[in-house]
Amino acid sequence: MLSEATDPAQPLPLTRSSVLAAKKTISHLIHCTPALTSSSLSGSLPGKNRLFFKAENFQKGGAFKFRGASYSLSCLTPQELAKGVCTHSSGNHAGALALAAQQRGVKCYVVMPSNSAQPKVDAVRSYGASITFCEPNAPARAATLAAVQAQTGATFIPPYDAVNTILGQGTALLELVEQVPEKLAAVVAPVGGGGLLAGTALAADGTGIRIFGAEPAGADDCARGLEEGKRLPDVDAHTIADGLRTPVGVLNFPIIQEKVEKVITVTDEEIIEAMRLMWERMKIVVEPSGATAFAAVRSKQFQELGIQGPIGIIISGGNVDLSKPLPWAHVPPE
């Protein structure tokens, strides 16, 4: 079985300086996404904290994953690039890697579960990737990817549990700090596999910014693992936030354990309400996973911390299947 916690080339150390180096490497490849504000949403909080939303839903591919994919490809040798790249993913990482590979003229092979959402399959295919479908379980995914890798010689680019992926994702926080006119008191990022949250924590190291994670209550392995003092390798996920249904990674967990103050858990109802407010007040397309950090900021658990000053919120993505009713819509039975 392939290990998630591997990198194709000798990686940089997991430090803030390495995130800075990653930003310099990929700045010409990615969008510097805007930092949005909303006086309405800021004013709705008990503490009236000014909120700055890092809009990674405007990133290439519609999610922050393009950062890690771009940096991972930038670290490959010409010989490795010539053989192509491969990964397993049912969602945003698949599209991000396919698009990053297309930009470089590199072949991309993606293993996707047979139950993947059709819009995400269509997106990966439109970026020129070769898709191999497998049964929707971890053993089938690993076995199929191993077969694809053996046949093609392509380099595996992990979705979250790899040094270069983590460093690439951390560049979003560096941009946010540059965009905000005052020092942030705290930043909240969603956590599934943990690449974004771990990268954010590394990027904030030594800045004095308090870092928090946001996790669905129906997939709360990271929050429970922090309470128990050990990584929980399995997650029985039941949440609308499909991008956060993975267990936190081997490399990511100790970074989160050391540098993240707390992981806030929120219900699907809280996520849906946060998502609705962002669509309604900010007029932007946000997926459930992308609304989870805002849901956490609105929660009683977070508000009781009494944080004073501006708060950064990372919107992780905006890839929504618009052929289906939005989660807050009440569709009458046929």
Side-chain angles (χ1 to χ4, degrees):
M1 181 179 290
L2 289 167
S3 170
E4 292 263 311
T6 57
D7 266 306
Q10 188 66 29
L12 294 173
L14 285 163
T15 62
R16 185 174 190 273
S17 62
S18 296
V19 181
L20 289 164
K23 180 176 180 289
K24 185 175 181 180
T25 298
I26 65 173
S27 60
H28 67 292
L29 300 170
I30 63 173
H31 287 323
C32 178
T33 55
L36 306 178
T37 60
S38 169
S39 58
S40 172
L41 296 182
S42 295
S44 70
L45 299 177
K48 312 297 182 185
N49 303 77
R50 191 176 183 193
L51 302 179
F52 292 89
F53 296 85
K54 182 59 172 168
E56 285 298 286
N57 50 324
F58 294 157
Q59 187 54 260
K60 293 181 181 180
F64 75 95
K65 293 281 190 178
F66 190 76
R67 294 176 181 271
S70 293
Y71 184 61
S72 294
L73 263 66
S74 297
C75 295
L76 298 183
T77 66
Q79 293 77 16
E80 289 169 324
L81 290 171
K83 293 181 179 180
V85 292
C86 63
T87 199
H88 54 72
S89 171
S90 61
N92 289 337
H93 177 66
L97 185 63
L99 180 56
Q102 183 189 59
Q103 285 190 343
R104 290 172 169 80
V106 173
K107 293 179 181 179
C108 181
Y109 307 91
V110 178
V111 173
M112 301 188 76
S114 56
N115 62 352
S116 298
Q118 192 59 45
K120 294 188 176 181
V121 174
D122 293 342
V124 172
R125 191 169 279 136
S126 73
Y127 298 143
S130 174
I131 300 175
T132 302
F133 292 101
C134 69
E135 290 299 308
N137 59 66
R141 180 183 67 184
T144 306
L145 181 63
V148 168
Q149 193 172 24
Q151 181 180 3
T152 63
T155 298
F156 174 41
I157 306 296
Y160 53 86
D161 205 0
V163 171
N164 291 334
T165 303
I166 295 167
L167 296 178
Q169 316 306 26
T171 60
L173 186 278
L174 295 179
E175 289 180 2
L176 179 60
V177 169
E178 293 174 349
Q179 292 167 318
V180 173
E182 50 193 314
K183 183 179 178 180
L184 291 166
V187 171
V188 185
V191 56
L196 177 61
L197 182 56
T200 298
L202 289 174
D205 202 20
T207 65
I209 300 171
R210 299 168 69 179
I211 302 299
F212 297 87
E215 189 173 43
D220 63 345
D221 65 290
C222 186
R224 289 187 293 113
L226 292 175
E227 290 177 359
E228 297 180 23
K230 62 180 181 180
R231 174 180 174 267
L232 303 179
D234 300 306
V235 55
D236 184 18
H238 300 282
T239 176
I240 191 173
D242 60 332
L244 306 178
R245 292 174 183 162
T246 52
V248 67
V250 174
L251 293 176
N252 303 310
F253 184 75
I255 298 171
I256 294 169
Q257 197 173 29
E258 179 186 352
K259 301 183 183 299
V260 173
E261 187 167 331
K262 189 177 184 63
V263 171
I264 308 290
T265 58
V266 288
T267 65
D268 274 13
E269 290 75 20
E270 290 174 306
I271 292 171
I272 292 168
E273 177 62 10
M275 180 181 172
R276 183 187 68 79
L277 285 170
M278 294 169 81
W279 280 61
E280 183 180 83
R281 308 286 177 86
M282 301 178 71
K283 317 302 181 188
I284 58 175
V285 176
V286 180
E287 63 186 89
S289 301
T292 301
F294 179 47
V297 169
R298 297 181 72 242
S299 71
K300 180 180 178 181
Q301 188 180 6
F302 185 84
Q303 288 300 316
E304 287 178 343
L305 297 171
I307 294 173
Q308 302 294 315
I311 297 172
I313 294 172
I314 300 183
I315 304 173
S316 56
N319 292 319
V320 178
D321 185 352
L322 294 176
S323 67
K324 297 179 179 179
L326 293 170
W328 56 83
H330 295 285
V331 181
E334 296 181 359

